[in-house]
Amino acid sequence: MKNPLATLASLGIAAALLHGAALAQAGAYPGKTITLMVGYQAGGSVDFVARSIGPSLSRRLGQPVVVENAAGAGGTIAAAKVAGATPDGYTLLVGSPS
């Protein structure tokens, strides 16, 4: 029978190595332009909020932030575009609870 302590030690070392690899991958974000999708027309209150936070978000993350309006259907069109985008965190939805 194998030594249970050696097995646990091996599993701990493997977990530590895999954790380090995951941390190395996580540091790559953001590596390209971030898009803030707004489900309402340009010049509206939600658009104003997105355009207000865009520059500070860009400075903080070190990447360009673009605001894109996809008005219509109470924000559903923009939400559908975000839902259909690649799930990589580069396309974000700015909406309203109303």
Side-chain angles (χ1 to χ4, degrees):
M1 181 185 235
K2 242 182 161 178
N3 183 351
L5 188 56
T7 303
L8 285 175
S10 297
L11 287 174
I13 291 170
L17 291 174
L18 291 174
H19 179 68
L23 288 177
Q25 291 175 357
Y29 181 85
K32 63 181 183 177
T33 301
I34 297 168
T35 302
L36 297 179
M37 291 295 303
V38 177
Y40 302 94
Q41 65 187 6
S45 59
V46 179
D47 180 64
F48 175 76
V49 170
R51 292 181 190 280
S52 296
I53 65 172
S56 60
L57 187 61
S58 178
R59 281 190 304 276
R60 187 172 194 141
L61 296 176
Q63 290 296 329
V65 175
V66 176
V67 176
E68 184 178 329
N69 296 80
T76 305
I77 294 172
K81 285 187 175 190
V82 172
T86 304
D88 57 5
Y90 289 98
T91 306
L92 307 174
L93 179 66
V94 180
S96 169
S98 57

